[in-house]
Amino acid sequence: MEIGLVLPHSGPHASPSFIRDFAQAAEGCGTDRLWAVDHLVLPQHTDSPYVLGRKPTPVADGWLSENLAPNFELMTTLSWVAGFTNSIGLGSSISVLPLRNPIVNAKQLASLDAFSGGRLVYGVGVGWLKEEATAMGMPWDRRGARSEEHIAVLRTLWCAADRYVEFHGQFYDFAPMDPRPQPAQRPIPILVGGHSDTALDRAVRIGDGWISAPTSAGRLAELIATLNRLADAQGRSPASLYKVASTTYSDARSLSETCDAYRRLGIDHVQVLVPGDEPRLMIDRLPEVATAARG
């Protein structure tokens, strides 16, 4: 099972120097991948509940800003990190597709994958924070269908063999255009996030894998069982889906036990969030985290 770490590019301690030192230390201790999260807007008030737990949870006024600001932008952060690392993988966990134009997105992702030598995995989702899309003037209705077509646009541009390529869909439509630059990977692997049956079905139908938000091993087992059942129903081997789980580090023993449980569930990669109030101590802890996660 591969081990990843969540970049500290979000929250009160986030800074360019901390992100750089953390990323280089992570690569130095043999971590497989660095993950970045996605929030383009942090509204003071939201009526949108957080929906990735067992039941929707209200978000208190100011909570997003107090806990996630400053939030260095996902794609910019990963591109910067790619420039001062050599081999460690890069990933988004997760990018909210309804907030992004698919043509711009395709070019940014292709550029990053080419610049990094094919190190990118693209985790995506349909989002839960309507106020974020409203602030950006992006449509929120039918966001599941829009996101699926967004993925189709990405793959069309990334994998085009001809000099010019066109696309005619329900939400996105463009005349023949040059798709270059194209990524080092054809296509970049796409992992679909979400815990609903609809999200799991989407992962099976059009994803290269599935990515989970932090949850207990018991809840994860239920989600994996549903994912496998949906894969069997659609004639797809469950083993063909790359499965990513997420957890938060508390101590070495707990992390080791959690990762052992994830291995038994067939998880391919676990991303670990390392919390803390002192950046230097968090960085110094990374070898212990990597060792504990690998068992």
Side-chain angles (χ1 to χ4, degrees), residues 175-205:
M177 59 179 286
D178 192 316
R180 297 173 295 180
Q182 291 176 299
Q185 303 174 89
R186 303 283 185 89
I188 297 167
I190 294 177
L191 311 180
V192 176
H195 291 183
S196 69
D197 286 355
T198 300
L200 296 172
D201 177 73
R202 184 176 296 120
V204 169
R205 284 189 293 104

Side-chain angles (χ1 to χ4, degrees), residues 20-270:
R20 182 192 61 241
D21 293 348
F22 185 100
Q24 291 177 331
E27 185 170 51
C29 65
T31 304
D32 295 294
R33 192 170 300 277
L34 292 166
W35 298 88
V37 300
D38 193 24
H39 272 297
L40 293 173
V41 178
L42 301 175
Q44 179 183 16
H45 171 80
T46 174
D47 292 319
S48 301
Y50 180 75
V51 297
L52 289 174
R54 283 191 177 271
K55 61 181 181 179
T57 304
V59 178
D61 284 2
W63 188 93
L64 291 169
S65 178
E66 290 168 8
N67 288 274
L68 300 180
N71 179 241
F72 290 88
E73 193 273 327
L74 166 75
M75 292 299 301
T76 312
T77 299
L78 289 177
S79 297
W80 189 58
V81 168
F84 55 70
T85 56
N86 297 306
S87 60
I88 194 168
L90 307 167
S92 63
S93 177
I94 59 174
S95 179
V96 183
L97 291 180
L99 304 181
R100 299 173 182 272
N101 176 281
I103 296 176
V104 175
N105 203 23
K107 180 153 290 191
Q108 288 179 318
L109 290 162
S111 299
L112 171 55
D113 194 64
F115 287 149
S116 68
R119 289 192 268 155
L120 183 62
V121 165
Y122 193 45
V124 303
V126 303
W128 62 273
L129 187 57
K130 181 180 179 181
E131 289 81 1
E132 195 170 19
T134 300
M136 297 182 64
M138 301 297 283
W140 191 247
D141 65 300
R142 302 190 63 194
R143 66 188 188 278
R146 291 178 186 277
S147 295
E148 292 195 15
E149 191 166 296
H150 188 134
I151 291 171
V153 171
L154 296 179
R155 288 174 171 156
T156 296
L157 292 170
W158 291 341
C159 299
D162 296 331
R163 176 66 184 274
Y164 296 99
V165 63
E166 58 190 292
F167 188 92
H168 305 288
Q170 184 176 3
F171 306 104
Y172 306 108
D173 189 289
F174 53 84
M177 59 179 286
D178 192 316
R180 297 173 295 180
Q182 291 176 299
Q185 303 174 89
R186 303 283 185 89
I188 297 167
I190 294 177
L191 311 180
V192 176
H195 291 183
S196 69
D197 286 355
T198 300
L200 296 172
D201 177 73
R202 184 176 296 120
V204 169
R205 284 189 293 104
I206 64 173
D208 297 299
W210 172 69
I211 185 166
S212 169
T215 189
S216 68
R219 174 61 172 153
L220 185 63
E222 296 173 4
L223 294 167
I224 291 290
T226 300
L227 188 76
N228 291 344
R229 174 177 55 79
L230 291 168
D232 287 336
Q234 296 187 34
R236 182 170 185 179
S237 168
S240 70
L241 290 163
Y242 188 80
K243 303 175 185 69
V244 178
S246 308
T247 192
T248 300
Y249 177 82
S250 57
D251 59 74
R253 180 177 178 180
S254 296
L255 179 60
S256 180
E257 292 174 349
T258 297
C259 289
D260 284 345
Y262 287 173
R263 286 187 191 91
R264 290 192 293 270
L265 291 173
I267 293 298
D268 298 293
H269 182 107
V270 58

